[in-house]
Amino acid sequence: MPAAAKPSRSKPPAKRRAADIAYDKIESLIARLEIAPGTPVVEAEIAEMTGLGRTPVREALMRMVSIGLVAQQPRRGLVVSGIDVSDHLDVVETRRVLERLIAASSARRATPDQRKALVAAAQKMVKASEKGNLDAYMHADQELDHINHLACGNASAVGAVLPLVVQCRRFWYAYQHEGDIGEGARAHLAMAEAIASSEETAAVEGADQLMNYLSQFAHRIINS
């Protein structure tokens, strides 16, 4: 008789690379302006701040140089790049094109678990906004992005949008007195629910709603 087939086991989730963890932690420090624009970036100090080794920190910083979040300047070494208010509308409009593509792809390709996780992350954003907790709001926003980017299955679009997402987060922190995180949370929830519905047209509309919010926010800052 043939041997009985072994029961299949689901593959455990892949462990995140140390450099990816370092990237997220450093991005949060920069986005929250804990490391301000123009600040020299010292590898040893960043390693101490994040509690991570210098090798993953170095790799994460090189990624940030490649996307323009950190600049390499003669005689100064690495410094955090500045925030250009006048160019921010271009950032949002470029991000709009990519977010529409990513949302449509996620609506088509996301697994049932990813759809649930997207909505759950957006609901965390709503709860954080109701408490006025901007750090929790941004943490949930980052979580939503991770899920959405994995679900869409388009590495090229994700690679192109990531630096724009970070610029938008940092812009928000810099000018948060002009913003409404409740409105932002609702826009993220609308997009997440649209993606979860599997309707590509609705997902694109949800992405547009979110980008409209960011565009209106930028206009308020520029015109103030």
Side-chain angles (χ1 to χ4, degrees):
M1 293 179 64
K6 294 181 179 180
S8 60
R9 295 182 180 178
S10 58
K11 188 177 180 180
K15 186 177 180 180
R16 296 192 70 208
R17 295 172 60 244
D20 293 331
I21 296 171
Y23 182 93
D24 284 350
K25 289 191 174 184
I26 299 167
E27 178 203 302
S28 294
L29 291 170
I30 293 174
R32 295 199 305 266
L33 305 180
E34 292 182 32
I35 306 177
T39 300
V41 177
V42 180
E43 186 181 293
E45 292 178 358
I46 298 295
E48 185 175 350
M49 291 173 73
T50 60
L52 297 168
R54 293 180 67 166
T55 298
V57 165
R58 184 180 304 120
E59 184 177 336
L61 290 174
M62 289 304 98
R63 282 174 59 189
M64 290 180 173
V65 170
S66 71
I67 66 175
L69 187 60
V70 171
Q72 196 155 19
Q73 297 185 349
R75 294 183 297 278
R76 291 193 66 196
L78 299 180
V79 299
V80 177
S81 60
I83 298 174
D84 193 327
V85 176
S86 62
D87 286 346
H88 194 68
L89 284 173
D90 291 338
V91 170
V92 175
E93 288 312 300
T94 304
R95 183 180 170 187
R96 181 190 297 273
V97 176
L98 294 165
E99 291 288 3
R100 287 166 60 95
L101 172 61
I102 289 169
S105 299
S106 290
R108 184 170 66 254
R109 297 171 175 166
T111 66
D113 284 345
Q114 287 171 333
R115 297 179 198 279
K116 292 177 184 177
L118 271 172
V119 174
Q123 288 171 338
K124 289 180 187 177
M125 294 181 72
V126 173
K127 290 178 181 177
S129 73
E130 291 170 349
K131 296 178 180 178
N133 188 333
L134 186 55
D135 285 347
Y137 174 92
M138 286 297 184
H139 182 77
D141 182 27
Q142 194 175 55
E143 179 184 349
L144 187 151
D145 283 340
H146 282 315
I147 300 163
N148 193 21
H149 294 166
L150 182 63
C152 81
N154 187 329
S156 295
V158 171
V161 83
L162 279 175
L164 308 179
V165 171
V166 179
Q167 289 186 55
C168 287
R169 284 199 185 110
R170 190 165 58 146
F171 188 86
W172 219 105
Y173 264 94
Y175 300 101
Q176 58 184 278
H177 58 281
E178 296 283 351
D180 179 351
I181 60 173
E183 183 182 355
R186 291 188 292 274
H188 280 86
L189 181 59
M191 183 181 73
E193 289 178 338
I195 292 171
S197 75
S198 303
E199 295 290 336
E200 291 185 43
T201 300
V204 169
E205 291 173 353
D208 269 335
Q209 181 179 338
L210 176 57
M211 292 303 105
N212 288 343
Y213 161 73
L214 294 178
S215 179
Q216 291 161 8
F217 174 64
H219 274 292
R220 283 201 299 272
I221 302 305
I222 292 168
N223 296 330
S224 61

